[in-house]
Amino acid sequence: MSNSAPTVLIPGWMHDHARCLLGTHFNLVETPDCDVHARLPQEIRASIRGVACRTRIDRQFIDALPNLEIIASYGVGYDAVDAAYARSKNIVVTNTPDVLNEEVADLTLGLLISVVREIPKAHAFVREGRWKTSEYPLSRLTLRNRKVGIYGMGRIGRCIARRIEACGLPIAYYSRRPVTGVVYDYFPSLLELAHAVDVLIAIVPGNPSTAKTVNADVLSALGPEGVFINVGRGTVVDEGALIEALRTGTIAAAGLDVIADEPNVPNDMLALDNLTILPHIGSASVAIRTAMADLLARNLIAWFQSGTAITPVP
Ligand code: A2R
């Protein structure tokens, strides 16, 4: 790489496809973590104009890089990046939206059906050789005659809704404002939505405005036949309230692809028979993670070629 190429820092893990693509356009500096103050001398820090990351990026990190122009974050959720502080310093933040919409929606439908029809338990039943001696018990729950509420009718929420429509189920949603062109019933609060449905799917970003919004009141409104699915961010849920609701039958069952403190699953969650937990695999296929890596790298390339990023966050 020529000396005149911009320098891009990769703090911590990065997808190999992104690293290869970035290596053909930029001088790369790699560190094992975000402690750039301790890891890099001042002249190297001053040379860094871009960051490609999947780690927490806080004020201290941003302040350590005086000539930083762009932070390209891997994933659609960018709650790990202090985007407001970056904006205040005229640093662009990009994420990787859209390329993962259908993949996350596929996983959501799979998780919903798994929870309701007990697919993981039925699989374990066969594996354990129990089919030879007994029939698997009928599932207490069914998807039939349910109404599905979607908390967050954004890019992924709309892809989930299309799949729910194909299941023949009515849909309602809550976001802070009705979405133009979306025909499903709109509710102006999460609590009202929860009262009106018996499946609630959360697909909102993790940030202070959504923190612990799925709380005891919302779960109680969902009701004893209620099923809760979370494929957005774990911070959206009051996990203590969810555990209690599942333990006491306030709701019937839940499926989580995300928890608040990944990968540390609370023991109280693991003990619940009516909770299915996945290890945050919504977008986790080889093809889609490569597409996300590609978009991350193309954001940095576009920025340094034209001064405009492809997918800056709002
Ligand atoms: O409220 P709006 O009109 O901004 O609608 C967005 C909604 N949303 C909220 N709804 C209620 N209360 C809030 N405090 C709130 N904050 C955001 O979530 C919009 O309908 C939806 C987010 O849609 P998108 O920005 O298109 O995100 P996308 O690509 O669907 O991904 C959603 C999240 C990511 O942020 C990751 O955390 C996860 O899924 O992968």
Side-chain angles (χ1 to χ4, degrees):
M1 189 49 51
S2 80
N3 284 340
S4 61
T7 298
V8 167
L9 170 68
I10 302 178
W13 179 90
M14 183 43 58
H15 193 289
D16 280 343
H17 175 72
R19 184 183 281 106
C20 289
L21 205 48
L22 293 171
T24 63
H25 288 78
F26 306 115
N27 295 308
L28 297 186
V29 173
E30 301 201 39
T31 52
D33 57 35
C34 286
D35 191 4
V36 281
H37 256 303
R39 302 246 179 227
L40 300 174
Q42 206 280 332
E43 66 270 23
I44 300 282
R45 283 191 276 119
S47 72
I48 290 165
R49 295 171 60 196
V51 165
C53 60
R54 189 174 80 155
T55 46
R56 180 156 297 281
I57 301 294
D58 59 14
R59 284 173 181 234
Q60 202 188 6
F61 176 95
I62 291 170
D63 285 339
L65 305 175
N67 295 311
L68 187 59
E69 298 170 37
I70 177 169
I71 299 167
S73 179
Y74 179 78
V76 63
Y78 53 94
D79 38 308
V81 178
D82 192 337
Y85 189 62
R87 189 180 310 119
S88 77
K89 303 200 82 175
N90 281 327
I91 296 165
V92 174
V93 176
T94 65
N95 62 345
T96 61
D98 287 318
V99 292
L100 77 182
N101 292 352
E102 307 288 348
E103 199 81 337
V104 177
D106 288 344
L107 197 276
T108 308
L109 186 63
L111 180 56
L112 172 60
I113 297 173
S114 291
V115 168
V116 171
R117 299 300 309 282
E118 305 177 4
I119 292 174
K121 284 187 209 162
H123 176 71
F125 179 86
V126 175
R127 270 266 165 96
E128 290 158 12
R130 292 157 62 200
W131 194 15
K132 292 195 182 79
T133 55
S134 58
E135 277 191 42
Y136 187 77
L138 307 183
S139 68
R140 179 170 96 68
L141 304 176
T142 172
L143 260 195
R144 296 305 96 211
N145 300 315
R146 285 181 176 273
K147 182 163 184 174
V148 177
I150 300 183
Y151 174 22
M153 192 50 75
R155 292 169 292 231
I156 301 172
R158 289 196 289 275
C159 292
I160 295 171
R162 281 209 329 271
R163 284 158 177 77
I164 301 292
E165 271 192 59
C167 294
L169 304 178
I171 297 164
Y173 73 101
Y174 163 64
S175 49
R176 287 168 297 187
R177 56 198 72 83
V179 181
T180 312
V182 167
V183 296
Y184 314 121
D185 293 345
Y186 173 74
F187 286 85
S189 78
L190 181 57
L191 192 59
E192 286 167 272
L193 176 68
H195 271 295
V197 299
D198 49 20
V199 172
L200 181 65
I201 300 174
I203 180 64
V204 284
N207 61 41
S209 78
T210 58
K212 295 194 177 184
T213 45
V214 177
N215 55 26
D217 290 344
V218 167
L219 294 167
S220 171
L222 198 55
E225 293 300 306
V227 173
F228 172 63
I229 302 290
N230 190 8
V231 285
R233 281 290 181 271
T235 53
V236 167
V237 180
D238 178 340
E239 291 186 339
L242 177 63
I243 291 165
E244 193 59 11
L246 288 166
R247 221 174 41 76
T248 57
T250 301
I251 66 168
L256 307 177
D257 186 41
V258 287
I259 58 165
D261 180 26
E262 297 174 6
N264 305 307
V265 185
N267 284 335
D268 287 352
M269 278 190 178
L270 292 173
L272 290 164
D273 189 46
N274 50 354
L275 174 61
T276 301
I277 308 178
L278 302 178
H280 201 153
I281 56 169
S283 64
S285 65
V286 171
I288 297 309
R289 287 290 171 87
T290 303
M292 290 161 59
D294 200 71
L295 181 52
L296 173 145
R298 286 190 296 110
N299 265 299
L300 284 158
I301 294 164
W303 175 259
F304 287 111
Q305 280 178 353
S306 69
T308 309
I310 302 167
T311 51
V313 305

